[in-house]
Amino acid sequence: MARVVVDVMLKPEILDPQGQAVQRALPRLGFTGIADVRQGKRFELELEGPVDEAALARIREAAETFLANTVIEDFTVRVEQP
Amino acid sequence: MSARIGVVTFPGSLDDRDAQRAVRLAGAEPVALWHRDQDLHQVDAVVLPGGFSYGDYLRCGAISRFSPVMDSVIEQARAGMPVLGICNGFQVLCESHLLPGALTRNDSLHFVCRDQRLRIENTGTAWTSAYVPNAEITVPLKNGEGRFVADEHTLDQLEAEGRVVARYLDVNPNGSYRDIAGISNAAGNVVGLMPHPEHAIEPLTGPGTEGLGFFASILKQLVSA
């Protein structure tokens, strides 16, 4: 089965308080040198059929209308090679 | 015949009963609407109540927005039917693109629950006409993702068109841009509000009765229509 991955991230200009909280916790745990953290979402879609251009177009549509809120989020769609 | 105001119940709605009660106390007939039922049962207006519809999965309001009842609500709202979204209902309205912008995680990361002072800045909407201009009211606020964000152009447009319906006073509880607590669409029939006027309708159970104006406003509009 083919897997398509949709990554959703808050747009750069939108404050990400969760990412900031993670970043502030890192030095306390000894993980230094990390200047910034942004937290996002990853969706793994298992396709029943082949990953052709039509299938990817439908997934982009799903990402645009549902998986991401494009008012505040950007998304990328990629095929994960087995 | 009294005005019929629908209150939608999604799985995870919390404040649907309080919203129904507010409608009743204002003098209208509350009509319970179910998320899977596309039929709005001839209501004159709809309230989308607070809560955590569909567990806030994906994003707050993102799944509710595609529920069968919302197909009808969106269609009727575009045709001019008054709709008030409170808290989670506001999130549903933004996800539906009936209102611009989005509601994101509070800048403090804390769930905030407090009696909040607001200024009603637009009394021309279907839901605020019973208030005097710039009325200052206190109603409960309770949210974890109530931070209103939109791009600068949209914010400027909202301000210029007087569509900032309510603004936080004293403190900004969640980091909302420009202290925005509530907005309306261009026509003024759709209003989204993060604080909870339906919890401020009786002295016994709330900080006062200053939330009742939202429900008195819609009744006034429907009766005079």
Side-chain angles (χ1 to χ4, degrees):
Chain A
M1 225 163 13
R3 172 178 289 178
V4 177
V5 174
V6 180
D7 285 312
V8 177
M9 293 297 295
L10 280 174
K11 290 186 178 194
E13 66 270 26
I14 303 289
L15 179 77
D16 176 14
Q18 291 185 97
Q20 286 179 343
V22 171
Q23 194 222 340
R24 282 195 297 269
L26 286 168
R28 282 209 307 274
L29 304 173
F31 301 106
T32 54
I34 296 166
D36 191 25
V37 176
R38 306 278 293 172
Q39 181 177 323
K41 293 189 191 110
R42 170 187 164 114
F43 299 88
E44 297 180 345
L45 313 182
E46 309 291 340
L47 300 202
E48 288 171 348
V51 189
D52 50 20
E53 205 28 63
L56 284 175
R58 287 293 288 164
I59 289 170
R60 277 188 213 103
E61 194 185 338
E64 173 125 28
T65 54
F66 186 47
L67 299 180
N69 177 353
T70 54
V71 174
I72 50 169
E73 294 168 326
D74 295 322
F75 67 88
T76 58
V77 174
R78 64 191 159 83
V79 181
E80 192 166 83
Q81 302 302 338
Chain B
M1 209 179 75
S2 81
R4 289 162 54 81
I5 300 179
V7 178
V8 175
T9 299
F10 298 102
S13 293
L14 293 180
D15 302 323
D16 42 344
R17 294 301 181 98
D18 277 26
Q20 289 176 19
R21 188 169 163 73
V23 165
R24 194 177 305 115
L25 277 173
E29 179 192 348
V31 178
L33 300 176
W34 184 235
H35 69 112
R36 283 168 67 179
D37 187 357
Q38 224 165 358
D39 188 349
L40 295 185
H41 300 277
Q42 288 91 45
V43 295
D44 305 299
V46 165
V47 176
L48 303 177
F52 299 86
S53 58
Y54 294 89
D56 278 353
Y57 296 156
L58 186 59
R59 296 175 305 277
C60 304
I63 299 180
S64 331
R65 171 254 178 278
F66 289 102
S67 63
V69 74
M70 283 307 298
D71 290 343
S72 307
V73 170
I74 291 168
E75 187 189 323
Q76 293 295 311
R78 289 198 179 124
M81 180 182 72
V83 178
L84 173 66
I86 302 168
C87 195
N88 189 221
F90 187 7
Q91 294 163 338
V92 173
L93 290 175
C94 286
E95 284 282 343
S96 306
H97 304 299
L98 285 171
L99 293 175
L103 293 143
T104 61
R105 189 66 63 104
N106 294 351
D107 58 353
S108 65
L109 282 177
H110 291 286
F111 189 94
V112 175
C113 183
R114 65 193 307 272
D115 292 338
Q116 176 71 45
R117 278 212 325 138
L118 306 174
R119 185 168 53 237
I120 305 297
E121 297 198 354
N122 180 347
T123 54
T125 79
W127 299 92
T128 52
S129 61
Y131 290 102
V132 297
N134 292 317
E136 295 185 3
I137 66 169
T138 300
V139 302
L141 171 117
K142 44 173 191 153
N143 66 68
E145 304 200 25
R147 178 171 186 265
F148 181 76
V149 301
D151 60 59
E152 284 296 308
H153 172 74
T154 302
L155 291 168
D156 288 343
Q157 192 180 14
L158 287 171
E159 303 265 15
E161 295 175 3
R163 290 165 55 192
V164 176
V165 172
R167 221 183 288 263
Y168 298 118
L169 294 177
D170 304 333
V171 294
N172 182 334
N174 45 32
S176 287
Y177 287 3
R178 304 196 192 180
D179 301 333
I180 289 173
I183 59 170
S184 77
N185 66 347
N189 63 307
V190 179
V191 170
L193 188 71
M194 197 32 69
H196 290 263
E198 81 283 16
H199 295 330
I201 54 164
E202 283 178 305
L204 179 65
T205 55
T209 59
E210 291 171 339
L212 203 53
F214 281 85
F215 304 94
S217 299
I218 189 61
L219 191 64
K220 191 174 88 175
Q221 151 131 354
L222 292 174
V223 167
S224 64

